[in-house]
Amino acid sequence: MFEFVIDATSDCARAGTLTLPHGTVETPAFMPVGTQGTVRALSPADLKAAGAHIVLANTYHLHVRPGETVVAKLGGLHRFMAWDRPLLTDSGGFQVFSLEGFRKVDEAGVEFQSHIDGARRTITPERAVEIQWALGADVAMAFDHVVPGGVDGATARDAMERTLRWLERCVKRHAELKDVQRSVVASCDQTLWPILQGGAHLDLRTESLQRTLGLSDWTGIAIGGLSVGESKGVMYDVLETLEPRLPRAMPRYLMGVGFPADLVAAVERGVDLFDCVAPTRNGRNGSAFTPDGPVNIRNAEHREETRPLDETCDCETCTTFSRGYLRHLFAAEELLGLRLLSLHNVRFLIRLAADMRAAVRAGDFSRWAADWRRRYT
Amino acid sequence: MFEFVIDATSDCARAGTLTLPHGTVETPAFMPVGTQGTVRALSPADLKAAGAHIVLANTYHLHVRPGETVVAKLGGLHRFMAWDRPLLTDSGGFQVFSLEGFRKVDEAGVEFQSHIDGARRTITPERAVEIQWALGADVAMAFDHVVPGGVDGATARDAMERTLRWLERCVKRHAELKDVQRSVVASCDQTLWPILQGGAHLDLRTESLQRTLGLSDWTGIAIGGLSVGESKGVMYDVLETLEPRLPRAMPRYLMGVGFPADLVAAVERGVDLFDCVAPTRNGRNGSAFTPDGPVNIRNAEHREETRPLDETCDCETCTTFSRGYLRHLFAAEELLGLRLLSLHNVRFLIRLAADMRAAVRAGDFSRWAADWRRRYT
C-alpha cells in the first residue's frame, strides 16, 4: 500500500513512483494546498484538469473548523472534499507555531487560542495523530516543534529534541490506532511521516536525520523548518548536507516550498515532493507564473493584449482567455479572475514537476535546469 | 438569422425555438447575467454544463469598464468572454436610472457620473446602440427611460413617450450601422429589440405596445419597468393585459425576472425569456433554490448533513458535494462555496425553464404549474 520506487536518477535528481492507498503519484510532484479542505478557488475537477495527483490539507484548520468529528461523520476527508486521489495532512505543528495569539509550549504539547472563536485548545502529539486518523488522509505528518529561521543553536536543539520525543509518541499512538482500526475494518490505511528539524544548523540537521531514522521504518520523510525566513543559501546548504545521508528509496518531502525556482533547486538537491500556497495565493493577487518569470496581470500593458497568459500552457485559462480579459476580471474584481490565475499557477507547478521528471528520465537534468533558469530569470 | 418558431402552446404558455447568429435557444429560457462580461463566479464551461444557451451582458458596465473599444480590440464580446453561443446586451437604460449618484435626463439622453471613476459621461439612444454594435451581441436592446414601480400616470407617460421617441432614434442608428457594416463584412449581424414601458398603468402599457409595434418589424420584444418595486399583482396584471395583444410569433422577454415562482407565473402569462441576477447573487449569499423552496446553507442544521443540496439536481454541486461540506465552505469563507451555489442556482432556473417547456409540449402546463407550486411553497 505504501511503496516508493525510483524510476531514474540524474546526478542527485530523482524520478520516482509513490504508491498510496488512494493512488500513485509520479515524482517530482507538487501538492496543491487545500488548507481548509478546499484548494482555494479550485474544485476537485479543476485540480484533476491541472494534473494534481495528491493534495495537502491542514489538520489544525480542519480541527478548529468544522472539527474532525464532523469531517468523519461526512465520510472522512476524501469524501468530505470529494477528492478520491491521495491526500496528505500536515500535522498542525507549523500553524500552531506560526499563527498569532496565545500559545504555550510544554513537554505535553501546545496550548493555543483558536483563531476562529478564541477558545483555548491543546494539541499534543497524540491528539495530532488522532485528529489525522479521523480525517483519514493517506499520509499523516508527525507533530513537530517549528522554530523561526535563524534561531541560535540552543533554541534549535531544544526544538529538535522535543520534536524527536514527540515523534516517538506520535509513532506509538499511530500504531495503537492502526491496531484498533484493523480490528474493525481492514480496508483503512494511513502512513505516518516524520519531520526533520534543526534550523540552519547543519550538525543538528544531520543528528535529527540519524535519530529519526533510528525510530521507525518510515515510508517517507519530510524536511521541515525551511522557508521560514532563512536565506536561500541556508536551504541549499541543509538540502546538500542531508542528501547523501537520506535513504535512497524513501520519498523526500520539502515542506512549504515553493516558487518555481525553488522547486528546480530542490529537485537538483534530491527532493521529491513539495507543497506551497504560493500558486493560489499569488494567483489571487493577480500574479502568474510563466516560463519567462512572473507576470502581474493587473498591469496596464495587458489591457488590449490578445495573447494568453502563457503561450506554452495547456490549462483552461491559457487556452480560453486573453490577457486583456484576465486583466479586466481583476480590474472589475470578478471572482472568475481569482480562479483562473490560481488554476494556471497550479498547473504551471505541476507541469514544471512533470518536465523535471522527464529531464531526469532523459538523464540530463543539469542541462535542463540551466536552460530553464536562463529563460525564467 | 433571426427567427422564432412556436413549437407548442398550452393555454397562454408557449414553447418556442429562437434562432440567433450564434445558435438557437429553446424557450422558455433563462439567461444568466454576466454584468461585466462574466457571470459572477462561473466560467463559460460552467455555464455550458448548466445548460445555458444565451447569456446577458451589460452595456453600461462594459462601456464604463473596460470600454467597448477595448472589448472590440479583444475580438468583440463573444471572444472577450469566451462565450460562443448567443449573447444579449442590455442597453444600460436600467443601470443609468438605478445606480446612485448624479444623473440628468433630457431629450438628448442621460448625463451621469461613472460609478468607477466619477467621470461625467453621456449616453444617448444613438450611443447606446453604437456601444452595443461595438460589443457585437446577437441581440441589442433599445435605450429606455425606466421609472420606479408605483409612479403616477403623468410621470409614467412622460417616460413612456420619451422611450418611444428614443426608440425611433435607436432604430435609425442601428440601421445605419448595419448598412456601414454590411459594406465591410457580410457576416456580422445583430438585431434590436424594443422595451415596453408604462409602469403599472395598463392603458399606458397597451399604448406603449401598440405604438412600439407600429415603429418597426421587430424580431423580439421586451417588457421593461417591472421588478422595480411594484407588487406581484401589478406584474401579473401588466402581463395579462399585454398577452392577448402581443404578436404570437415574437419572443417576449420579461426583463430582470426572476425568482423561480416568478418564472412559472410569467410563463403561464405567455413570457418566453428571462434574466435575473438572483441565482448568482443569492448563491453568493448562501441561499440555494430547491424544489421545496429556498435553503440557506449557512444554517447549523446542515452541519453534518450528507445529502446533497437538491437531490433532484444533476449539477456538479449536487452530484459531488454534501450539504455539510457546502456549509463548511461558507463558514470558512472559501471561494469555492460562492461558485458551487451560483452554479446550482443557475442550473436550477435553466432546468425549471426546460421542465416548463416539456410541460407545454405535453399540453398540461396548468396542472404542472399547480403541482410545482404545491411543492415549492
Side-chain angles (χ1 to χ4, degrees):
Chain A
M1 206 60 117
F2 302 101
E3 194 183 47
F4 184 65
V5 176
I6 300 275
D7 302 318
T9 58
S10 176
D11 297 324
C12 293
R14 304 130 54 90
T17 303
L18 173 64
T19 304
L20 295 170
H22 286 81
T24 61
V25 181
E26 295 193 330
T27 65
F30 176 77
M31 301 188 277
V33 178
T35 306
Q36 302 192 103
T38 164
V39 177
R40 213 150 278 167
L42 300 181
S43 70
D46 291 335
L47 292 168
K48 286 192 176 177
H53 283 272
I54 179 167
V55 164
L56 179 147
N58 198 278
T59 298
Y60 166 84
H61 284 95
L62 290 169
H63 167 64
V64 169
R65 184 176 57 198
E68 63 277 11
T69 45
V70 172
V71 174
K73 281 183 181 169
L74 290 169
L77 189 55
H78 282 92
R79 178 71 204 93
F80 178 66
M81 59 191 286
W83 179 251
D84 57 6
R85 295 181 178 178
L87 280 172
L88 179 149
T89 40
D90 191 3
S91 64
F94 182 77
Q95 280 66 38
V96 166
F97 288 98
S98 66
L99 288 175
E100 282 176 49
F102 172 86
R103 64 165 184 266
K104 199 181 70 162
V105 188
D106 62 20
E107 196 54 29
V110 182
E111 188 185 347
F112 64 97
Q113 202 161 12
S114 157
H115 74 290
I116 303 298
D117 58 8
R120 291 199 179 182
R121 291 160 183 259
T122 300
I123 293 191
T124 62
E126 290 81 6
R127 281 293 292 135
V129 164
E130 288 159 8
I131 296 166
Q132 290 180 87
W133 191 264
L135 294 173
D138 300 68
V139 180
M141 299 304 299
F143 191 65
D144 58 336
H145 185 166
V146 183
V147 288
V151 296
D152 62 39
T155 308
R157 171 166 290 282
D158 179 61
M160 183 200 81
E161 295 281 358
R162 183 167 298 104
T163 297
L164 283 162
R165 289 191 300 272
W166 284 359
L167 181 57
E168 288 190 67
R169 290 163 58 189
C170 286
V171 169
K172 182 164 176 286
R173 189 67 187 130
H174 198 258
E176 287 167 3
L177 290 168
K178 213 161 192 164
D179 284 343
V180 172
Q181 185 75 29
R182 278 204 182 113
S183 67
V184 188
V185 281
S187 66
C188 178
D189 211 354
Q190 181 181 72
T191 192
L192 177 75
W193 288 0
I195 303 175
L196 303 181
Q197 292 293 345
H201 306 276
L202 302 180
D203 53 334
L204 292 178
R205 286 286 177 175
T206 307
E207 186 179 338
S208 172
L209 172 60
Q210 282 161 351
R211 289 171 61 188
T212 297
L213 291 177
L215 281 178
S216 184
D217 284 328
W218 307 109
T219 61
I221 194 164
I223 303 160
L226 291 177
S227 232
V228 288
E230 81 289 349
S231 72
K232 295 282 179 210
V234 168
M235 185 173 93
Y236 298 165
D237 287 347
V238 170
L239 293 179
E240 285 165 16
T241 301
L242 290 173
E243 202 286 325
R245 296 170 173 84
L246 281 160
R248 192 171 173 281
M250 192 183 285
R252 304 154 178 182
Y253 162 30
L254 179 57
M255 304 182 83
V257 173
F259 283 80
D262 299 332
L263 259 66
V264 176
V267 168
E268 267 180 322
R269 291 163 178 83
V271 173
D272 306 299
L273 289 168
F274 304 88
D275 79 280
C276 192
V277 296
T280 43
R281 179 176 291 167
N282 288 23
R284 294 197 307 279
N285 289 329
S287 178
F289 301 142
T290 84
D292 303 302
V295 161
N296 189 333
I297 200 64
R298 296 174 182 274
N299 287 349
E301 61 181 303
H302 305 304
R303 195 175 142 91
E304 298 178 0
E305 181 57 76
T306 55
R307 284 185 307 136
L309 202 46
D310 173 0
E311 274 164 330
T312 73
C313 184
D314 58 3
C315 80
E316 184 188 346
T317 306
C318 293
T319 55
T320 313
F321 302 100
S322 64
R323 289 190 180 195
Y325 182 68
L326 296 172
R327 178 181 189 270
H328 168 66
L329 292 180
F330 274 86
E333 297 182 349
E334 282 286 353
L335 292 166
L336 184 60
L338 311 180
R339 166 176 162 195
L340 292 178
L341 259 67
S342 299
L343 179 69
H344 166 72
N345 282 349
V346 166
R347 177 68 188 139
F348 184 88
L349 290 189
I350 286 171
R351 273 211 313 152
L352 177 60
D355 287 352
M356 290 196 283
R357 178 179 169 83
V360 171
R361 291 174 70 98
D364 64 349
F365 189 79
S366 300
R367 205 188 59 189
W368 179 93
D371 289 346
W372 184 88
R373 240 177 237 116
R374 202 170 303 116
R375 180 167 179 188
Y376 189 78
T377 49
Chain B
M1 206 60 119
F2 302 102
E3 195 183 45
F4 184 65
V5 177
I6 300 276
D7 303 319
T9 58
S10 176
D11 297 324
C12 292
R14 303 130 55 88
T17 303
L18 173 63
T19 304
L20 295 169
H22 286 82
T24 61
V25 181
E26 295 193 331
T27 66
F30 176 76
M31 302 187 277
V33 179
T35 306
Q36 303 192 101
T38 165
V39 177
R40 213 150 276 167
L42 300 181
S43 71
D46 291 335
L47 292 168
K48 286 192 176 178
H53 283 271
I54 179 167
V55 164
L56 179 146
N58 198 278
T59 298
Y60 166 84
H61 284 96
L62 291 170
H63 167 65
V64 169
R65 184 175 59 196
E68 63 277 9
T69 45
V70 171
V71 174
K73 280 183 181 169
L74 291 168
L77 189 55
H78 281 92
R79 178 72 204 92
F80 179 66
M81 60 191 285
W83 180 253
D84 56 8
R85 294 181 179 178
L87 279 172
L88 179 149
T89 40
D90 191 2
S91 65
F94 182 77
Q95 280 67 37
V96 166
F97 289 98
S98 66
L99 289 175
E100 283 176 49
F102 173 86
R103 65 164 184 267
K104 199 181 73 169
V105 188
D106 61 21
E107 195 54 29
V110 182
E111 187 185 346
F112 64 97
Q113 201 161 14
S114 157
H115 75 290
I116 303 298
D117 58 8
R120 291 201 179 180
R121 290 161 183 259
T122 300
I123 293 191
T124 62
E126 290 81 6
R127 281 294 291 135
V129 164
E130 288 159 8
I131 296 166
Q132 290 181 86
W133 191 264
L135 294 173
D138 300 69
V139 180
M141 299 304 299
F143 191 64
D144 58 337
H145 185 168
V146 183
V147 288
V151 296
D152 62 40
T155 308
R157 171 166 289 280
D158 179 61
M160 182 201 80
E161 295 281 357
R162 183 167 298 104
T163 297
L164 284 162
R165 288 190 301 272
W166 285 358
L167 180 57
E168 288 189 67
R169 291 163 57 189
C170 286
V171 169
K172 182 164 176 285
R173 189 68 187 130
H174 198 258
E176 287 166 4
L177 290 168
K178 213 162 193 165
D179 284 343
V180 172
Q181 185 76 28
R182 276 203 184 115
S183 68
V184 188
V185 280
S187 66
C188 177
D189 212 353
Q190 182 181 73
T191 192
L192 177 75
W193 287 0
I195 303 175
L196 303 180
Q197 293 292 345
H201 306 275
L202 303 180
D203 53 335
L204 292 178
R205 286 285 177 176
T206 307
E207 186 179 338
S208 173
L209 171 60
Q210 282 161 352
R211 290 170 61 187
T212 297
L213 291 177
L215 282 178
S216 183
D217 284 329
W218 306 108
T219 61
I221 194 163
I223 303 160
L226 291 176
S227 232
V228 288
E230 81 288 350
S231 72
K232 296 280 179 212
V234 168
M235 185 173 93
Y236 299 164
D237 286 347
V238 170
L239 293 179
E240 286 165 16
T241 301
L242 290 173
E243 201 286 324
R245 295 169 173 85
L246 281 160
R248 192 171 172 281
M250 191 183 285
R252 304 153 178 183
Y253 161 30
L254 179 57
M255 304 183 82
V257 173
F259 283 79
D262 299 332
L263 259 66
V264 176
V267 168
E268 267 180 323
R269 291 163 178 82
V271 173
D272 306 300
L273 289 168
F274 304 89
D275 80 280
C276 192
V277 296
T280 43
R281 179 176 292 167
N282 289 24
R284 294 196 307 278
N285 289 330
S287 178
F289 301 141
T290 84
D292 303 302
V295 161
N296 189 333
I297 200 64
R298 296 174 182 274
N299 287 351
E301 62 181 304
H302 304 304
R303 197 174 140 92
E304 299 178 359
E305 181 58 74
T306 56
R307 284 185 307 137
L309 202 47
D310 173 359
E311 274 165 330
T312 72
C313 184
D314 58 2
C315 80
E316 183 188 347
T317 306
C318 294
T319 55
T320 313
F321 303 101
S322 64
R323 288 190 180 196
Y325 182 68
L326 296 173
R327 177 180 189 270
H328 167 67
L329 292 180
F330 274 85
E333 296 181 349
E334 282 285 354
L335 292 167
L336 185 60
L338 311 181
R339 167 177 162 194
L340 292 177
L341 259 67
S342 299
L343 179 68
H344 165 72
N345 282 349
V346 166
R347 177 68 188 139
F348 184 88
L349 290 189
I350 286 171
R351 273 211 314 151
L352 177 60
D355 287 352
M356 290 196 281
R357 178 179 169 83
V360 171
R361 291 174 70 98
D364 63 350
F365 188 79
S366 301
R367 205 187 61 189
W368 179 92
D371 289 346
W372 184 89
R373 238 176 241 118
R374 201 169 304 115
R375 179 166 179 188
Y376 190 78
T377 49

